[in-house]
Amino acid sequence: MRVPSFPTLLRTFYTVNNTTRLLPAFNTSNALLQPFYQKAIAATSYTPSMSFFSSLFSSSAPKQEMSFPVNKSKDEWQAILSPEQFRVLRQQGTESPYVGKYDKHAPTSGVYTCAGCSAPLYTAKHKFKSGCGWPAFFDAIPGAVGRNEDSTFGMKRIEIVCNNCGGHLGHVFKGEGYATPTDERHCVNSVSLNFSDKE
């Protein structure tokens, strides 16, 4: 039996916590399900909060003193980004797996741009189906995406950022065996992206 990797276990706990938090919103009158329903509600009262799980998925890569063409203050970013976009793009957060609008998005043409500054990052031809729960790309538009080392949780990962504004996009993983030209997977948060069908 193959033991799941630590990141896979974390994603599973994160997803279960998201799902079980919704249980109190449902009301069942089925007497057979009532004991299960009561136990599920009791279990959710002891699960850690979403901020705990969110912190496990965020990057704590030290922000290098880099200058980007688009440079805004925290207040300026908060004024133009949604709270979730700000958390991910500016505070290196991660959205929940399998919920992003571009996870299963599969256009044949078009460009994915940075949600913070509209810089082109990936083409539709770079996207592939990885099943990881986040949009996956095997390459970026040349010069559009920067890389920083991220050694949080004892894992060596490479954070990817928009080279125009420094916004956190996600992480890149190598050597996973996908049948792509680069054998890389750019695991990108949907909330960090916008899409235009015009190239």
Side-chain angles (χ1 to χ4, degrees):
M1 181 172 116
R2 187 174 167 202
V3 177
S5 66
F6 182 69
T8 301
L9 289 172
L10 288 178
R11 281 193 299 268
T12 302
F13 287 126
Y14 189 84
T15 303
V16 167
N17 193 50
N18 264 348
T19 306
T20 56
R21 286 273 177 217
L22 298 175
L23 286 174
F26 297 105
N27 189 2
T28 179
S29 58
N30 187 329
L32 294 174
L33 295 178
Q34 202 65 29
F36 169 76
Y37 178 73
Q38 295 300 327
K39 287 180 183 177
I41 290 174
T44 61
S45 64
Y46 298 109
T47 57
S49 69
M50 290 311 301
S51 58
F52 169 76
F53 282 117
S54 180
S55 69
L56 291 177
F57 288 98
S58 64
S59 169
S60 63
K63 273 298 183 193
Q64 298 175 2
E65 294 300 321
M66 297 181 70
S67 176
F68 296 97
V70 175
N71 191 6
K72 298 180 186 288
S73 69
K74 178 181 175 182
D75 291 338
E76 288 173 317
W77 283 119
Q78 285 180 316
I80 63 170
L81 299 173
S82 72
E84 180 69 356
Q85 286 174 322
F86 182 80
R87 186 184 71 79
V88 172
L89 281 166
R90 307 317 308 173
Q91 297 178 320
Q92 292 72 44
T94 300
E95 69 187 347
S96 299
Y98 304 104
V99 299
K101 66 180 177 178
Y102 297 123
D103 177 30
K104 293 188 169 104
H105 190 243
T108 56
S109 64
V111 175
Y112 292 90
T113 60
C114 177
C117 68
S118 301
L121 301 171
Y122 300 97
T123 68
K125 293 174 184 161
H126 292 140
K127 193 167 189 302
F128 72 100
K129 184 178 179 181
S130 70
C132 70
W134 292 274
F137 302 87
F138 63 82
D139 205 357
I141 293 172
V145 174
R147 299 175 183 218
N148 302 317
E149 188 171 319
D150 176 7
S151 300
T152 55
F153 307 114
M155 298 180 286
K156 183 177 179 185
R157 302 184 297 172
I158 304 296
E159 177 193 23
I160 48 178
V161 298
C162 170
N163 266 345
N164 194 48
C165 70
H168 173 76
L169 302 173
H171 291 87
V172 64
F173 302 93
K174 295 182 179 192
E176 294 180 315
Y178 290 105
T180 61
T182 60
D183 198 18
E184 284 189 348
R185 176 174 56 94
H186 292 227
C187 187
V188 182
N189 293 286
S190 286
V191 75
S192 299
L193 302 171
N194 285 321
F195 178 76
S196 171
D197 55 5
K198 297 178 180 137
E199 291 197 24

